[in-house]
Amino acid sequence: MIRPTTPDDSAALIALAVAAEMFPANETAALGKVLADYFGGKLDDGHVWVTDEEEGEPCGVAYYAPDLMADRTWYLYMIAVHPNYQRRGRGTALIQHVENALRSRGERLLLVETSGLPKYARARAFYTKCGFEPEARIRDFYAPGDDKVVFRKVLNAD
């Protein structure tokens, strides 16, 4: 069941991100701060966290927000599914949930970015499978030899 994220989910979502190898266990402070700022009302309007749960336990998460300098353009900043629940359609369901929410509001474009390193090939294939198109590559963005790859998906053509 996909539902709005609550403050009580924070610790489980950080653990989920570590289990999904998005963050090393000793580098989760930034994620914790974003969650705290979100629940503390310190982020701009429009930021949304949703949690996928099974039997009351978070097993997936998505975080998206508008680009304040563009017309109806949004970023999917984070999507993660706990490894015990991967390859069961949960990531696709989270993407569809985000897209449906944005389409229903008339939003125009959804962007997502990931690393160009070989270990992220599965993530890039997932975005392509979900209908995203590779749009840009910024060489050496994250670190020397670690490119940023940007994907885009048109939500509403007008």
Side-chain angles (χ1 to χ4, degrees):
M1 172 184 80
I2 298 173
R3 58 163 176 78
T5 300
T6 68
D8 292 340
D9 295 322
S10 296
L13 296 181
I14 290 170
L16 186 155
V18 170
E21 298 181 352
M22 293 188 75
F23 296 92
N26 64 344
E27 294 182 14
T28 60
L31 178 57
K33 181 171 179 358
V34 171
L35 283 161
D37 287 350
Y38 176 71
F39 292 117
K42 296 180 181 175
L43 298 178
D44 293 325
D45 287 340
H47 289 244
V48 179
W49 283 85
V50 293
T51 297
D52 184 13
E53 72 174 16
E54 186 167 302
E55 296 180 14
E57 292 297 319
C59 59
V61 63
Y63 167 47
Y64 57 105
D67 182 316
L68 300 177
M69 303 297 285
D71 174 37
R72 297 173 292 142
T73 299
W74 288 66
Y75 282 96
L76 178 61
Y77 284 114
M78 181 177 172
I79 183 168
V81 174
H82 191 283
N84 294 345
Y85 296 92
Q86 290 178 0
R87 301 208 177 253
R88 297 184 187 179
R90 293 201 181 257
T92 301
L94 280 163
I95 291 271
Q96 289 172 344
H97 179 89
V98 170
E99 291 174 5
N100 290 339
L102 294 174
R103 276 192 188 100
S104 71
R105 296 171 33 165
E107 306 300 353
R108 191 176 61 82
L109 192 63
L110 181 59
L111 303 175
V112 65
E113 59 191 51
T114 191
S115 169
L117 291 175
K119 74 179 192 175
Y120 292 97
R122 196 168 133 204
R124 294 188 302 273
F126 169 73
Y127 295 131
T128 300
K129 182 187 100 172
C130 289
F132 286 82
E133 300 173 305
E135 182 66 19
R137 177 179 289 265
I138 303 170
R139 293 174 301 199
D140 302 320
F141 180 84
Y142 296 109
D146 189 358
D147 302 350
K148 176 196 285 193
V149 181
V150 181
F151 290 83
R152 74 188 280 270
K153 187 170 195 178
V154 174
L155 301 172
N156 288 297
D158 61 315

